[in-house]
Amino acid sequence: MCGLVGIVSKSDVNVQLYDALTMLQHRGQDAAGIVTCDNGRIAQQKGNGLVKDVFHTRHMRRLTGNYGIGHVRYPTAGSSGPALAQPFYVNSPYGIALAHNGNLTNADSVRAELYRDDLRHMNTDSDSEVLLNVFAKELQKLGKLHALEDDIFTAVTNVNKRIKGGYSVVTLLANYGLVAFRDPDGIRPLVFGRRETLQGPEFMIASESVALDVLGFDLIRDVKPGEAIFITTEGELHTRMCAEKTTCRPCIFEHVYFARPDSIMDGISVYKARLRQGEKLAEKILRERPDHDIDVVIPIPDSSRVSGQALAYNLGVKFREGLMKNRYIGRTFIMPGQQQRRKSVRQKLNPVTLEFKDKNVLLVDDSIVRGTTSGQIIQMARDAGAKKVYIASAAPAVKYPNVYGIDMPSVNELIAHGRTDEEVAKEIGADWLIYQDLDDLIEASSEGNPNITEFDCAVFDGNYVTSDVTQEYLDKLQEARSDSQQNKQRELDLDNTNVVGIHNDAAEG
């Protein structure tokens, strides 16, 4: 999962892009990058680390121009060295920079085609670089010295024909403006907004609406599945559908975990969706355990706080903040490697002993993936004096890998895969465990927008939105995503700082 932003303004966009990326930092903490264009000259700065670590005053001074794009990255598989920081850039045709959120399920075959048929070389194993080269090739095939609006939309249409998977994309074309598009199934989120100024309208594209709010842009709407948006350097907005067959099946895990609660996605308030998750979870507990002895509900911060509040209210049980979070530790779900995740849990959370001692505690989490974090927190609760520790998950059991841009690990590392609920509870040390029902989770989201009746729920039910996800593909993905394989890859990447076109400025401090 990554965060995207693109802005066409009447003044320099460097600081605006920086501010937007800080609002999207929760979507990726591995790397960050900004590309701007000023009278045809492209400037870039990117590197590993948080937004505040990658960009300094000297960088902002050279990131001039009234339009640009930005990216925060979280790795799904493969390496995470500086070569994979986005946006990516190719100089032909026109000069194109691209930032991408998602995952292409046919990246390997397209990469081979690009090399064999189009003679295009790629410097990394990133599917985002594949996507950039496909877009560049489709523009180049048109053979135009100066591309027109129709040419750009034709190129996007052809891109959609060649690639499969979940993707939202924002690109910068030197001297032209910004082009953004979303996969035909609408799996990955993308919104755009407008801000009026004395000099004329300004436009912004982002992964989440919260980034627009902070910069004073009014949300126009979500980019539709299969739709492309072209914003010229002068601030002219053009939109067109660039896919023949479209559906809207957004990733429901955005509502569970990734998105900020103050964001609106596909017309659905993430905050309200999480409230309804808690309400429905309370109904299930009252139905299955009407004689429960829960004394207090404690959320595992931060994503489960909203659902935990609704759950406690509907159970008629006290809600307490019993786990204090260190704000300077990143999100454990997207920590690279199991060892790092284990270490970060104890650094990240500390119990308030008074809220646990001699009580029967119901911990509420947004989801349970590997079980590593849940097991440690349950032990924390017992060490703090809890008599019994129960756990409720606002999401159903995660049993299948995600193939559209979320680092759900191999099935062997998913604690619920091949286990009953009772076996999972025993594995993580809970007295009992209760999961959200999938139908209730879907209803919690679709109630916010009745026009959306389907979601990408593959991590829960194994039904993948695109038709190309075979067992062979899943086996290859499992090999690439296993912690052991990723640890090996990270060891290879430790000294990978001398990359063509990238200066490791972030390391200078």
Side-chain angles (χ1 to χ4, degrees):
M1 190 66 62
C2 301
L4 310 177
V5 61
I7 299 176
V8 176
S9 180
K10 300 301 180 182
S11 58
D12 282 344
V13 294
N14 48 8
V15 175
Q16 298 177 69
L17 290 169
Y18 177 95
D19 290 343
L21 290 181
T22 61
M23 297 306 298
L24 298 173
Q25 186 75 83
H26 61 285
R27 299 188 66 85
Q29 302 164 14
D30 182 67
I34 289 176
V35 169
T36 61
C37 190
D38 188 4
N39 293 318
R41 291 182 59 87
I42 288 180
Q44 76 166 350
Q45 171 62 25
K46 58 182 181 176
N48 283 359
L50 301 176
V51 174
K52 66 181 180 63
D53 299 319
V54 173
F55 305 103
H56 301 281
T57 302
R58 62 185 182 277
H59 306 136
M60 305 307 284
R61 286 177 179 147
R62 61 179 174 79
L63 289 171
T64 58
N66 73 312
Y67 60 108
I69 63 175
H71 185 269
V72 287
R73 177 180 188 268
Y74 121 89
T76 52
S79 58
S80 60
L84 296 182
Q86 295 187 38
F88 285 116
Y89 171 77
V90 290
N91 64 354
S92 177
Y94 314 123
I96 309 171
L98 177 145
H100 162 225
N101 171 32
N103 185 61
L104 306 186
T105 52
N106 65 337
D108 289 345
S109 61
V110 174
R111 182 184 287 108
E113 290 173 8
L114 284 167
Y115 182 77
R116 182 185 64 243
D117 302 333
D118 302 328
L119 306 180
R120 299 191 75 90
H121 170 77
M122 276 152 284
N123 200 42
T124 73
D125 62 358
S126 171
D127 60 339
S128 303
E129 191 178 14
V130 171
L131 209 164
L132 169 61
N133 277 272
V134 171
F135 184 50
K137 179 60 180 179
E138 293 302 330
L139 279 173
Q140 194 170 44
K141 279 167 56 177
L142 299 174
K144 298 286 188 69
L145 181 62
H146 300 289
L148 303 176
E149 174 191 336
D150 286 345
D151 299 322
I152 291 171
F153 287 133
T154 297
V156 174
T157 299
N158 291 333
V159 169
N160 286 331
K161 291 178 180 178
R162 290 188 68 175
I163 63 175
K164 296 180 180 178
Y167 51 93
S168 57
V169 179
V170 60
T171 68
L172 180 152
L173 272 65
N175 292 316
Y176 288 91
L178 301 187
V179 179
F181 53 96
R182 190 179 180 192
D183 67 79
D185 293 296
I187 300 172
R188 298 269 66 89
L190 197 64
V191 299
F192 69 102
R194 175 181 176 131
R195 181 175 66 186
E196 298 296 337
T197 70
L198 293 175
Q199 293 77 32
E202 300 176 331
F203 291 93
M204 179 175 174
I205 301 160
S207 293
E208 294 186 35
S209 62
V210 64
L212 277 64
D213 299 339
V214 170
L215 291 180
F217 284 81
D218 295 322
L219 173 66
I220 297 176
R221 59 176 173 83
D222 296 82
V223 177
K224 297 175 183 176
E227 183 182 30
I229 293 177
F230 172 40
I231 306 169
T232 69
T233 56
E234 291 77 27
E236 298 172 351
L237 174 69
H238 307 275
T239 68
R240 186 175 300 178
M241 293 301 298
C242 293
E244 295 176 359
K245 184 181 179 181
T246 64
T247 61
C248 191
R249 290 183 278 189
C251 174
I252 204 165
F253 211 73
E254 292 276 359
H255 301 168
V256 170
Y257 175 81
F258 268 103
R260 280 180 49 138
D262 44 345
S263 285
I264 307 291
M265 289 182 160
D266 296 294
I268 299 169
S269 163
V270 177
Y271 177 81
K272 287 292 187 68
R274 290 180 184 169
L275 278 178
R276 290 188 287 267
Q277 290 168 17
E279 292 167 357
K280 294 180 182 300
L281 199 50
E283 291 173 5
K284 183 174 182 180
I285 292 175
L286 291 172
R287 186 171 63 249
E288 296 191 359
R289 296 183 177 271
D291 56 347
H292 71 79
D293 57 354
I294 301 167
D295 295 317
V296 62
V297 171
I298 293 177
I300 298 174
D302 281 318
S303 305
S304 62
R305 180 172 287 114
V306 177
S307 57
Q309 288 173 333
L311 170 62
Y313 178 82
N314 283 270
L315 286 180
V317 174
K318 291 180 181 178
F319 176 85
R320 292 290 185 267
E321 295 280 359
L323 293 166
M324 295 297 107
K325 182 180 178 182
N326 181 347
R327 302 290 171 183
Y328 303 98
I329 300 294
R331 304 181 86 175
T332 52
F333 177 85
I334 61 178
M335 286 287 177
Q338 191 80 311
Q339 184 176 357
Q340 182 64 28
R341 284 188 290 271
R342 287 195 184 99
K343 179 182 177 182
S344 66
V345 171
R346 296 310 298 245
Q347 293 175 328
K348 179 180 179 180
L349 298 174
N350 195 50
V352 179
T353 303
L354 290 174
E355 297 298 346
F356 289 92
K357 188 171 178 59
D358 299 326
K359 295 177 182 177
N360 297 328
V361 177
L362 175 62
L363 296 172
V364 182
D365 208 349
D366 52 76
S367 58
I368 301 172
V369 181
R370 298 171 178 88
T372 308
T373 301
S374 301
Q376 288 196 66
I377 294 173
I378 288 169
Q379 188 57 51
M380 271 189 218
R382 296 197 188 282
D383 293 343
K387 289 193 299 182
K388 295 180 181 178
V389 183
Y390 314 125
I391 188 164
S393 169
V398 177
K399 296 185 177 183
Y400 305 93
N402 183 280
V403 302
Y404 302 122
I406 300 177
D407 188 21
M408 295 294 190
S410 64
V411 292
N412 295 333
E413 294 166 358
L414 296 171
I415 194 167
H417 183 79
R419 290 187 176 96
T420 65
D421 294 358
E422 292 74 19
E423 288 171 337
V424 174
K426 183 178 180 180
E427 191 75 17
I428 62 179
D431 290 288
W432 55 255
L433 158 70
I434 195 160
Y435 283 109
Q436 184 84 265
D437 290 334
L438 182 54
D439 288 344
D440 285 344
L441 179 65
I442 292 172
E443 189 176 334
S445 291
S446 61
E447 190 175 325
N449 183 354
N451 293 322
I452 300 178
T453 58
E454 295 183 83
F455 293 86
D456 167 34
C457 302
V459 296
F460 307 123
D461 61 13
N463 296 321
Y464 294 96
V465 171
T466 57
S467 59
D468 61 326
V469 180
T470 63
Q471 188 57 50
E472 181 183 2
Y473 178 85
L474 293 174
D475 290 342
K476 288 180 64 177
L477 191 69
Q478 177 171 330
E479 181 181 357
R481 285 187 176 177
S482 66
D483 273 341
S484 59
Q485 182 62 34
Q486 292 203 43
N487 286 335
K488 289 179 183 178
Q489 184 64 57
R490 273 185 288 276
E491 290 175 6
L492 294 174
D493 289 337
L494 286 176
D495 296 322
N496 188 24
T497 55
N498 298 316
V499 181
V500 174
I502 296 176
H503 177 53
N504 194 26
D505 239 354
E508 295 181 3

